[in-house]
Structures are given as structure tokens and as C-alpha cells.
Amino acid sequence: MFSSNYTNRLFGRTRGRSKKKINLNNYYEVLVKYKFQNFNEKSEYILDVGTGYGESSIFLAKQFPDKVVLSCEKYIDGNIILLKYVQKNNINNILLHNGNVHNIIEITNKEYFNLVWIFFPDPWPKNRHAKRRLITSEFLIKLHKILKENSEIYIATDSTIYVRFILNSIYKCKKYFNWVNQSEINLSIKDYFDIETKYYKKAINSQRKPSLFILRKL
Ligand SMILES: C[S@@+](CC[C@H](N)C(=O)[O-])C[C@H]1O[C@@H](n2cnc3c(N)ncnc32)[C@H](O)[C@@H]1O
């Protein structure tokens, strides 16, 4: 169903470092129930990219019970935790794509999404890894094509290197998006949502201040 090329390759871990045994058969059995297959014309969608342990998807599903949250993540240890929570709490508006967000973009032939969240994308701070960064102007333009009119993208990061890179990407696609919160005093996540993902907590514990960028489709 999905193809991939180098530019859109997904780097990073699929499994956690802990040697704890995970019953993968059990994971795939549960995944079938929540796996994203196709868009339903009657549904409205939120795209949640790189969900880690799933906190953002759970938050969005509760915040927008009338929308379907499409959670994209290849990190199985995180997905297991998300699916356990979803099952235990009977959450019925989260679907999971256990893989690369580019797969979803490739098969999206319409403006299906009302919102895109990208919380703490991997910063790949070394110069030689810069090509691995997800947020580029090309990527934002791809998102522009699948977003409904006036819909928004939320990007959070605590990496100063990535902030500069993201700003440059936003600048390059200024024809496509209005950067809504352009003033420094408007960049704090907590002014918008009460959510603490694993990487949000990591940033705060290390005295790094996360920034949130809000882009609205023009
Ligand atoms: C730094 S973690 C952040 C996790 C979570 N959002 C948080 O705030 O704690 C970034 C996550 O993005 C995922 N990721 C990276 N590139 C991705 C892509 N192209 N598609 C889907 N997920 C991706 C990684 O597997 C990783 O789990």
C-alpha cells in the first residue's frame, strides 16, 4: 500500500532500549482494530504526527470528540501504551498508522484534515543529519494540500537549532500559511493547552523553553 523514497525515510527507533519482552503478536492483533485503513467521507480528521507515547492523540481525541485523530508513529513501545489507554478508556476516535506520516500524505487525495499537530519532532541537531528533519518548506506545502481552508498546523519544539530551521521553512512558504502567533510572547504552549508529553517534560526538566508555532492555511 505504501511506498517510500530516501527523502521521506523515517529515521530513529522502532523499539525501546529496554530489553523488556513485548508480545508483538498481541500488539498486531490489537492494532488491527485501530489501524487506519481509508478515509471516511463523513468524518473530519486531525493528523497527529510522531506521537511517541500517545499523550497528544489522547488529548486531541478528548478535546475534539466529534473528530477522528489519526495518530502516526512507528515507535511500537509508545503505540502499545497508546492502544492500552484507548482500549481501557473506550476511546473511539483514534486511529493509528504505525509508520511514516509521508505514507498518509501520499494517499490523501483531498483536504481531509481540520488540524495537524507535530509535537517535538526529532531535531536532528547535527549538521550531517539535517536532511532527516521532518519540518521543511516542502513538507509544509504537502500539508497545505491536505488541510481544509483556514485550518491550522501546530508545531512544538525545544531545540534552538530546529527553531531557526522551522522559521526558515515557514518563511519559504509564506504564500501558503499565515504564521498566527508571530510575537515572542505568544509562543508558549501552556498559553494554549494544558498538555505535557514526554518530550515536553524532558524540555522543562532540562530548563529548555519549548516554542509553539501556529500556522493557518491561506
Ligand atoms: C522526539 S519524539 C516526540 C514524541 C511526542 N510527540 C512527545 O512530544 O513526547 C518524535 C517522534 O516522532 C516520530 N517520527 C519521526 N519522524 C516521523 C515520521 N516521518 N512519521 C511519523 N512519526 C515520526 C519518532 O518515531 C518519535 O517517536
Side-chain angles (χ1 to χ4, degrees):
M1 183 185 184
F2 301 123
S3 66
S4 84
N5 56 42
Y6 179 82
T7 330
N8 298 338
R9 249 176 71 189
L10 212 173
F11 296 89
R13 280 180 292 137
T14 301
R15 287 293 327 277
R17 283 203 189 96
S18 109
K19 295 278 178 290
K20 201 174 80 185
K21 277 222 165 78
I22 280 184
N23 184 339
L24 284 178
N25 290 337
N26 191 25
Y27 168 63
Y28 288 116
E29 261 170 42
V30 177
L31 181 63
V32 170
K33 252 180 87 186
Y34 296 95
K35 193 174 167 174
F36 172 77
Q37 306 275 10
N38 283 307
F39 289 101
N40 177 342
E41 294 289 334
K42 291 190 188 126
S43 301
E44 300 205 327
Y45 291 88
I46 294 173
L47 183 61
D48 191 10
V49 183
T51 50
Y53 289 92
E55 304 95 330
S56 53
S57 294
I58 293 163
F59 174 83
L60 289 165
K62 289 181 178 169
Q63 195 88 346
F64 302 100
D66 58 328
K67 311 244 183 311
V68 176
V69 178
L70 204 175
S71 178
C72 288
E73 178 57 77
K74 69 148 186 175
Y75 183 53
I76 293 179
D77 298 48
N79 288 342
I80 288 174
I81 289 179
L82 171 64
L83 292 183
K84 267 194 189 147
Y85 186 94
V86 163
Q87 281 189 300
K88 196 169 163 211
N89 295 280
N90 293 320
I91 294 182
N92 59 13
N93 62 333
I94 292 183
L95 292 175
L96 178 61
H97 172 57
N98 182 157
N100 195 333
V101 64
H102 283 284
N103 306 146
I104 298 297
I105 293 172
E106 268 172 35
I107 58 153
T108 309
N109 55 6
K110 246 175 85 172
E111 297 167 342
Y112 276 111
F113 293 96
N114 289 75
L115 181 63
V116 176
W117 264 43
I118 311 166
F119 254 49
F120 299 91
D122 296 306
W124 297 111
K126 291 184 183 140
N127 260 342
R128 67 191 158 94
H129 289 147
K131 277 196 177 151
R132 298 181 178 186
R133 291 179 194 144
L134 180 65
I135 315 293
T136 59
S137 53
E138 291 80 14
F139 178 66
L140 292 176
I141 292 167
K142 283 183 185 174
L143 292 180
H144 183 272
K145 291 200 179 111
I146 63 169
L147 270 170
K148 289 195 198 307
E149 228 177 291
N150 287 320
S151 295
E152 291 177 334
I153 303 177
Y154 286 74
I155 304 167
T157 187
D158 60 321
S159 153
T160 43
I161 291 172
Y162 215 178
V163 162
R164 262 180 263 143
F165 195 81
I166 291 170
L167 287 176
N168 189 251
S169 309
I170 294 175
Y171 179 75
K172 283 194 198 153
C173 53
K174 57 182 184 298
K175 277 196 319 210
Y176 297 85
F177 294 99
N178 178 20
W179 174 16
V180 176
N181 58 335
Q182 284 194 22
S183 148
E184 203 192 331
I185 54 160
N186 295 327
L187 297 178
S188 166
I189 297 176
K190 284 283 175 176
D191 288 344
Y192 301 90
F193 322 100
D194 192 13
I195 174 173
E196 295 190 352
T197 63
K198 178 172 179 200
Y199 278 81
Y200 175 88
K201 288 183 195 151
K202 262 189 168 186
I204 298 302
N205 290 340
S206 313
Q207 264 101 53
R208 288 190 303 272
K209 211 170 156 191
S211 300
L212 179 72
F213 298 94
I214 306 175
L215 309 181
R216 185 171 303 135
K217 175 170 172 162
L218 287 172

